[in-house]
């Protein structure tokens, strides 16, 4: 959640409200909560970002991982930031080592460091330039993500205050921070909590609510102007998924999945076999559409596409069209007069479903101007002629259904030469008893073998599971066929 607050350094005015101490203080904790937590970040009640934090045990201490992205514009101050951070701390939460990757307003950097004998040795890499420096200090230094835990693991009695040192990876500085225990107070949504306050940022108080296990429930800057609050993953799923599929700068670095080894000349591929680690085993394995998927271990799956698919799997049994894949749906208005008429026009004179699908995909690719913003439903984008990959997939799906071709909306990963795999949406049409991957954004019929299907469905709840894998999965290329 600290990612949200880093952008508020220039905000002025302090909070002056006084909060009474509760009669029954929280108990001192022996260790931090070992869990994963998701947070939504809001400015003026508009969601502008997210943050994920996971705490786990490590030798002689704990491992704290965090990643997220935020885009803010407050009082004329604008900033975009994406971050991945890992801290190793001791039993008392004091910093031992760290690695932080961050991209701020398009400028990427990576820093790492170790702490020993009151000296922090830091290596920084930015714009291809490597620098090293040392920071000396007295006492112990703590990473930002543990500041809310610090008083609960010492003395959370109301009225207590602590002054300690914290490391700021953005400014690469060690700073002094004061943390005060204000007392028990329910959050605005009535959750029992202990309220804390720190002065991490000049002229701005940072108010925090934590539960009796040390989990942060809510943070507030400048009387609620900026709010960071704990949320269930499914609440953030469609928001995070929408950003990833739009390939917006806000989440680009966070969602990029690098391939090891990199794929050369992906457009000439005829088949691909990859292993994905960090997979969520609760997710269904999506087959068909020219790919097979098998588990290869805990949190690991192998996906094969194109010529890498075994012949027996490629032949399979003819698929039975589901009636829903021919019907109009929310944002896929295949029954709209304009879309039905265009589908009929494009299909005229063509007998083979594959030929019709090629024509519809090519027309969609030409008709829509590619943007990072979602152009909305099929009918809206048909009229506006703007939209991202999701928009392309919706419009093609609507046209194909109107033409009598069973078609579904799918999402997953696609390879971008020189970068890695990015999240993307396309479609699958049932042609001659086989599901065929069709990408109307890139005008590919069938789509190239780097299309790795992970999800099916176009509704927000269909996209929500992406949050369980985004920013966590790693991809190893097992075989690339040309």
């Amino acid at each position: 959640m600290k990612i949200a607050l880093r952008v508020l350094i220039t905000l002025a005015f302090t909070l002056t409200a006084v909060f009474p101490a509760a009669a029954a203080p929280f108990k001192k904790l022996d260790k931090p909560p070992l869990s994963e937590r998701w947070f939504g970040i809001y400015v003026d009640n508009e969601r502008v970002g997210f943050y994920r934090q996971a705490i786990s045990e490590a030798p002689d201490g704990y491992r704290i991982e965090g990643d997220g992205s935020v885009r803010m514009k407050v009082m004329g101050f604008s900033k975009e930031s994406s971050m991945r951070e890992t801290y190793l701390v001791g039993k008392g939460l004091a910093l031992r080592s760290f690695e932080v990757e961050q991209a701020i307003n398009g400028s990427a950097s990576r820093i790492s460091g170790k702490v020993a004998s009151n000296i922090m040795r830091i290596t920084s890499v930015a714009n291809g330039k490597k620098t090293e420096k040392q920071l000396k200090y007295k006492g112990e230094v703590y990473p930002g993500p543990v500041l809310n835990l610090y008083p609960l693991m010492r003395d959370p009695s109301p009225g207590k205050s602590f002054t300690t040192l914290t490391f700021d990876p953005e400014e690469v500085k060690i700073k002094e921070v004061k943390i005060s225990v204000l007392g028990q107070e329910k959050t605005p949504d009535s959750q029992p909590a202990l309220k804390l306050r720190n002065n991490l940022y000049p002229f701005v108080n940072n108010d925090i609510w934590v539960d009796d296990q040390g989990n942060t429930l809510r943070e507030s800057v400048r009387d609620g102007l900026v709010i960071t609050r704990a949320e269930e993953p499914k609440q953030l799923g469609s928001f995070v998924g929408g950003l990833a599929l739009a390939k917006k700068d806000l989440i680009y670095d966070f969602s990029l999945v690098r391939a090891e080894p990199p794929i050369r000349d992906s457009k000439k591929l005829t088949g691909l076999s990859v292993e994905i680690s960090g997979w969520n085993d609760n997710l269904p394995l999506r087959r068909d559409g020219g790919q097979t998927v098998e588990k290869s271990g805990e949190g690991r799956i192998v996906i094969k596409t194109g010529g890498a698919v075994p012949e027996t799997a490629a032949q399979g049994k003819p698929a039975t069209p589901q009636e829903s894949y021919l019907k109009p749906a929310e944002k896929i208005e295949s029954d709209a007069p304009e879309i039905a008429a265009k589908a009929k026009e494009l299909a005229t004179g063509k007998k083979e479903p594959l030929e019709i699908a090629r024509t519809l995909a090519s027309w969609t690719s030409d008709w829509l101007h590619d943007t990072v913003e979602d152009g909305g439903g099929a009918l809206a984008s048909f009229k506006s002629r703007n939209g991202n990959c999701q928009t392309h997939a919706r419009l093609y799906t609507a046209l194909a259904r109107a033409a009598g071709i069973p078609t579904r909306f799918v999402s997953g990963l696609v390879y971008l030469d020189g970068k890695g795999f990015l999240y993307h949406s396309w479609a699958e049409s049932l042609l001659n008893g086989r599901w065929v991957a069709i990408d109307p954004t890139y005008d590919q019929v069938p789509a190239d073998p780097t299309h790795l299907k992970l999800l099916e469905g176009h509704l927000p709840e269909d996209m929500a599971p992406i949050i369980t894998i985004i920013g966590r999965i790693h991809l190893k290329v097992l075989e690339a066929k040309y």
Side-chain angles (χ1 to χ4, degrees), residues 299-336:
R300 293 178 180 272
I301 61 173
V302 171
I303 299 180
K304 295 181 179 180
T305 63
V309 175
E311 187 174 342
T312 54
Q315 291 172 349
K317 293 182 179 179
T320 301
Q322 295 183 24
E323 190 177 352
S324 61
Y325 295 143
L326 283 167
K327 287 185 174 181
E330 181 183 345
K331 294 189 176 182
I332 299 179
E333 305 94 336
S334 55
D335 59 345

Side-chain angles (χ1 to χ4, degrees), residues 52-125:
R52 178 186 72 93
Q53 184 182 83
I55 303 178
S56 58
E57 288 187 309
D60 299 320
Y62 305 98
R63 179 184 182 92
I64 301 173
E65 298 176 286
D67 40 49
S69 295
V70 67
R71 173 182 288 162
M72 288 188 181
K73 188 172 184 179
V74 182
M75 298 174 64
F77 179 71
S78 179
K79 193 167 190 179
E80 295 181 12
S81 177
S82 295
M83 175 178 59
R84 292 184 183 183
E85 54 187 356
T86 300
Y87 300 97
L88 292 179
V89 300
K91 293 291 186 181
L93 306 182
L95 185 61
R96 295 291 177 260
S97 65
F98 63 89
E99 292 183 8
V100 178
E101 295 181 52
Q102 50 193 353
I104 301 172
N105 288 342
S107 178
S109 64
R110 177 182 298 177
I111 64 171
S112 60
K114 293 185 177 181
V115 173
S117 302
N118 299 119
I119 297 177
M120 182 181 295
R121 293 175 171 82
I122 302 170
T123 300
S124 303
V125 179

Side-chain angles (χ1 to χ4, degrees), residues 416-466:
L416 181 64
D417 282 334
K419 298 290 184 181
F421 282 88
L422 294 170
Y423 288 88
H424 186 61
S425 292
W426 60 97
E428 288 180 350
S429 290
L430 189 60
L431 306 174
N432 300 319
R434 301 283 182 268
W435 285 105
V436 177
I438 294 176
D439 191 334
T441 301
Y442 299 130
D443 191 12
Q444 294 181 356
V445 183
D448 71 53
T450 71
H451 287 69
L452 309 177
K453 179 176 61 170
L454 306 179
L455 306 171
E456 290 181 6
H458 70 286
L459 298 175
E461 54 265 35
D462 300 321
M463 301 289 187
I466 200 173

Side-chain angles (χ1 to χ4, degrees), residues 379-446:
L379 184 58
S381 63
F382 179 85
K383 295 177 179 178
S384 71
R385 301 192 64 179
N386 292 309
N388 61 15
C389 66
Q390 296 179 79
T391 313
H392 284 72
R394 289 193 203 101
L395 180 54
Y396 167 79
T397 299
L399 290 166
R401 290 182 183 182
I405 300 175
T407 299
R408 61 193 180 194
F409 182 108
V410 302
S411 300
L413 297 169
V414 67
Y415 193 72
L416 181 64
D417 282 334
K419 298 290 184 181
F421 282 88
L422 294 170
Y423 288 88
H424 186 61
S425 292
W426 60 97
E428 288 180 350
S429 290
L430 189 60
L431 306 174
N432 300 319
R434 301 283 182 268
W435 285 105
V436 177
I438 294 176
D439 191 334
T441 301
Y442 299 130
D443 191 12
Q444 294 181 356
V445 183

